[in-house]
Amino acid sequence: MNIAIITGASSGMGREFARRLDSLLKKTDEIWLLARRKDRLDALCAQMQTKTRAIALDLTSEKELAQFAEVLSISDARITVLVNCAGVGKYGAFSDQKSEDINGMLRLNILALTEMTRICLPYMRKGSRIIELASGAAFLPQADFAVYAASKAYVYSFGCALAKELRGQGIYVTTVCPGPVDTPFLENAYDSPARMSGLKKLTMETADRVVETALMDSRQGKPVSVCGLPMKLLYLATQSTQNMMQFFMQAQQ
Ligand SMILES: NC(=O)c1ccc[n+]([C@@H]2O[C@H](COP(=O)([O-])OP(=O)(O)OC[C@H]3O[C@@H](n4cnc5c(N)ncnc54)[C@H](OP(=O)(O)O)[C@@H]3O)[C@@H](O)[C@H]2O)c1
């Protein structure tokens, strides 16, 4: 049985990935949607053409992840697409942040994403695809978004390295790096919308544009997906600086 798995499918970009994959995937028997809010997953399932399974779980719980691994192991599944979309961000000075918010970001954005990838990989074959949701925040350290940006720098580094490791097996990994996207994520990240910079508001993308670009880039086997001109310019600028630094470091050796 061919399946696609999407985490964070109850909202924002995860829900958009589910809707688009529903119409795009022809050889997929089932789509599995993962998030904590079962009512929202059930509502989405009811709108899907492909047979869809709602799996309510907290990805930050080791026990619930292990239970998911068990469900997968008895399912005779071959995973065609894994989208690791679940993620959370809390804006504010590090010194003012609560320990539960800091640990929540690290557990979900880093540990859960890594563990989901590890659990799903044995069920992938040539042609399977992994989409890891990082952020444009991965490109540069960000004051007042320190832990979130650092967690996404991890996802970016992990995804790019994995893309190289798995390419030989015909498994393609695309790391998606959007700038601000109009989803509930921003309401949860900023206590008040006034705290969001004018530049962020100006460069805001829609979830459907980011997801459409990500799926196109994934189909083309691109290791990184960046949507919109402002983010593309930032990406190119940080890449050229890194390449220059690598060149000078190698020249000094
Ligand atoms: N929106 C932006 O500006 C933006 C920009 C760059 C990157 N991103 C990244 O893009 C991804 C998707 O974000 P989004 O904008 O679509 O956010 P969103 O609308 O807030 O969706 C986040 C999803 O994560 C799920 N989730 C949160 N905690 C969870 C947990 N403990 N266990 C299981 N699922 C959990 C939520 O579902 P439940 O609450 O039902 O569990 C929800 O479905 C994230 O990784 C985010 O960091 C977002």
Side-chain angles (χ1 to χ4, degrees), residues 10-22:
S10 63
S11 170
M13 286 183 269
R15 191 164 54 181
E16 192 57 35
F17 272 110
R19 285 190 181 132
R20 282 191 180 260
L21 286 174
D22 184 31

Side-chain angles (χ1 to χ4, degrees), residues 11-241:
S11 170
M13 286 183 269
R15 191 164 54 181
E16 192 57 35
F17 272 110
R19 285 190 181 132
R20 282 191 180 260
L21 286 174
D22 184 31
S23 54
L24 282 173
L25 294 177
K26 302 289 175 229
K27 292 182 186 158
T28 295
D29 303 300
E30 281 189 21
I31 298 179
W32 291 10
L33 306 178
L34 277 59
R36 290 166 303 180
R37 286 170 293 176
K38 179 88 163 58
D39 53 335
R40 294 180 69 111
L41 295 179
D42 285 339
L44 180 55
C45 280
Q47 298 167 17
M48 304 272 284
Q49 302 298 316
T50 316
K51 189 176 172 200
T52 305
R53 189 164 168 181
I55 301 178
L57 88 171
D58 182 346
L59 288 162
T60 64
S61 155
E62 276 180 38
K63 190 175 152 210
E64 292 182 36
L65 269 174
Q67 284 167 348
F68 172 74
E70 181 64 25
V71 169
L72 198 54
S73 73
I74 55 172
S75 69
D76 183 32
R78 174 182 185 264
I79 300 173
T80 52
V81 184
L82 165 67
V83 185
N84 267 317
C85 206
V88 69
K90 273 283 166 199
Y91 183 82
F94 177 72
S95 51
D96 295 340
Q97 289 200 312
K98 294 184 202 136
S99 154
E100 67 192 70
D101 286 336
I102 293 170
N103 292 335
M105 281 186 271
L106 297 175
R107 283 202 194 100
L108 183 63
N109 300 357
I110 296 181
L111 295 178
L113 176 138
T114 310
E115 183 61 359
M116 270 302 291
T117 308
R118 190 195 67 78
I119 289 171
C120 292
L121 198 50
Y123 302 91
M124 295 189 166
R125 301 285 176 273
K126 193 170 183 225
S128 296
R129 292 183 282 148
I130 301 174
I131 297 178
E132 307 283 23
L133 260 290
S135 165
F139 302 149
L140 284 172
Q142 276 196 25
D144 294 334
F145 225 174
V147 174
Y148 177 73
S151 75
K152 292 299 181 176
Y154 168 89
V155 176
Y156 174 74
S157 173
F158 171 67
C160 291
L162 206 60
K164 285 187 183 162
E165 277 188 33
L166 298 178
R167 186 163 278 263
Q169 297 171 43
I171 298 172
Y172 294 96
V173 184
T174 301
T175 304
V176 184
C177 302
V181 188
D182 192 7
T183 72
F185 171 90
L186 295 173
E187 280 161 42
N188 297 329
Y190 295 87
D191 295 334
S192 142
R195 296 187 76 189
M196 195 167 34
S197 76
L199 185 65
K200 280 194 173 165
K201 286 180 189 159
L202 206 68
T203 56
M204 184 96 73
E205 289 286 353
T206 57
D208 63 334
R209 241 175 72 84
V210 174
V211 169
E212 184 186 13
T213 309
L215 288 173
M216 202 167 62
D217 289 338
S218 162
R219 276 199 303 277
Q220 292 173 2
K222 289 189 185 168
V224 178
S225 175
V226 183
C227 177
L229 188 63
M231 271 304 120
K232 282 195 168 128
L233 290 175
L234 176 65
Y235 178 56
L236 283 177
T238 51
Q239 284 299 104
S240 355
T241 313

